[in-house]
Amino acid sequence: MSSILEVRGLTKKFGGLTAVNDVTFDVREKEILSVIGPNGAGKSTLFKLISSFLTPTEGEVRYKGERISGLAPHIAARKGVVRTFQETTIFRNMTVRDNIIVAHHLRSKASLAGFFLGTAVARADERAFGESADEILSFLNLSDLSGEKAKNLPHGHLRALGIGIGLATDPAVLLLDEPFAGMNHDETGKAVAMVRRLRERGLTVLLVEHDMPAVMKISDRIVVINFGQKIAEGTPAEIQANERVIEAYLGAEDESIGM
């Protein structure tokens, strides 16, 4: 399986602090790869580097062979590498459907003036965005909530809406920021099934997550970060048996890393 995303020697320094140190790995096309590590390990900084929200001090990220490090996040998103957030991109007073329609404007053909004037191109965009939003809502099992204001959604549905907003940009690689955080057992099970369906939809999924049982259940491969460095990479079974990973979790109970 070919690599769609290449992370090469990523390093990020903030003054005298090295948050990410020479991290290298590949993300294969149409796989689910998870990045895990103890609190403060550098996962969030690594995620921001990959999604172009931070510029690396050294190293680079390549998408389909093209360097995307240093690009503005919206440019990287237009190319196909899209990061979702936990809830910060949701317009809570807008309906579920309108949230997803708004997200489509990253790929609009009409200009802002065109939308204001109601040109033919803008009207065509609006029709296409509405049809796409309805398809995304159906895919996420949110059609019944299409007209509901986002602020009224329960936690699990809010997370699904956040993923829907990401899907509206037509990504090839979707980066999920702790998609299972704060969920109960039933919500986590539904979210795991939804992420698997993203891969079935043809997407590559890269996620950062603390819920180890969910990570072990869903991942094709796992990259483990500790003190800013990659200490392990492999299948869930290989990670569960890795002594360096167990040590990084400070001798925690086996069940805390999904064993």
Side-chain angles (χ1 to χ4, degrees):
M1 189 180 297
S2 61
S3 297
I4 191 169
L5 205 64
E6 302 167 64
V7 175
R8 293 289 178 267
L10 272 191
T11 298
K12 183 63 179 179
K13 297 180 180 180
F14 298 98
L17 172 66
T18 301
V20 174
N21 188 10
D22 194 26
V23 172
T24 294
F25 61 88
D26 288 349
V27 183
R28 299 166 188 163
E29 192 169 5
K30 297 181 183 178
E31 80 168 337
I32 299 173
L33 186 142
S34 297
V35 176
I36 68 171
N39 290 331
K43 304 184 299 298
S44 294
T45 301
L46 177 63
F47 215 52
K48 291 175 183 176
L49 291 167
I50 294 171
S51 55
S52 294
F53 280 80
L54 285 176
T55 300
T57 306
E58 298 174 16
E60 64 178 8
V61 178
R62 289 188 169 270
Y63 168 65
K64 294 184 177 180
E66 178 185 359
R67 180 187 172 105
I68 60 171
S69 299
L71 296 179
H74 72 279
I75 300 297
R78 282 179 180 159
K79 291 180 179 294
V81 180
V82 175
R83 175 189 177 185
T84 68
F85 296 84
Q86 292 187 19
E87 290 179 21
T88 56
T89 56
I90 293 172
F91 295 101
R92 300 181 70 84
N93 286 312
M94 291 175 62
T95 68
V96 169
R97 186 175 188 267
D98 284 346
N99 264 279
I100 295 180
I101 287 175
V102 166
H104 280 81
H105 284 78
L106 183 70
R107 44 193 263 219
S108 63
K109 296 176 182 177
S111 65
L112 183 61
F115 282 104
F116 180 76
L117 296 172
T119 64
V121 174
R123 292 196 302 273
D125 274 349
E126 288 173 350
R127 285 193 299 271
F129 296 166
E131 291 170 1
S132 176
D134 290 337
E135 186 277 326
I136 290 170
L137 288 170
S138 177
F139 173 77
L140 296 172
N141 297 318
L142 292 176
S143 295
D144 291 346
L145 298 171
S146 174
E148 187 69 59
K149 286 192 175 181
K151 66 181 181 181
N152 297 327
L153 296 182
H155 184 70
H157 285 144
L158 270 176
R159 289 299 175 86
L161 176 56
I163 290 175
I165 288 170
L167 289 178
T169 65
D170 195 25
V173 180
L174 195 59
L175 286 72
L176 305 181
D177 181 13
E178 297 188 26
F180 314 126
M183 291 186 178
N184 61 37
H185 179 76
D186 289 342
E187 288 173 332
T188 299
K190 291 176 181 177
V192 165
M194 180 174 61
V195 173
R196 284 179 174 150
R197 287 169 49 230
L198 292 174
R199 189 249 300 279
E200 293 168 5
R201 191 180 174 97
L203 274 69
T204 301
V205 179
L206 175 63
L207 60 92
V208 167
E209 184 53 63
H210 288 285
D211 187 329
M212 290 301 100
V215 165
M216 295 300 167
K217 185 183 298 183
I218 200 173
S219 306
D220 297 309
R221 292 187 303 124
I222 298 170
V223 170
V224 187
I225 304 295
N226 194 31
F227 294 113
Q229 295 182 307
K230 186 180 83 172
I231 62 169
E233 177 180 349
T235 65
E238 291 168 339
I239 295 302
Q240 287 174 324
N242 189 296
E243 292 296 330
R244 292 191 70 190
V245 175
I246 296 171
E247 182 181 351
Y249 278 87
L250 304 177
E253 295 286 341
D254 287 348
E255 62 186 24
S256 71
I257 56 171
M259 299 174 65

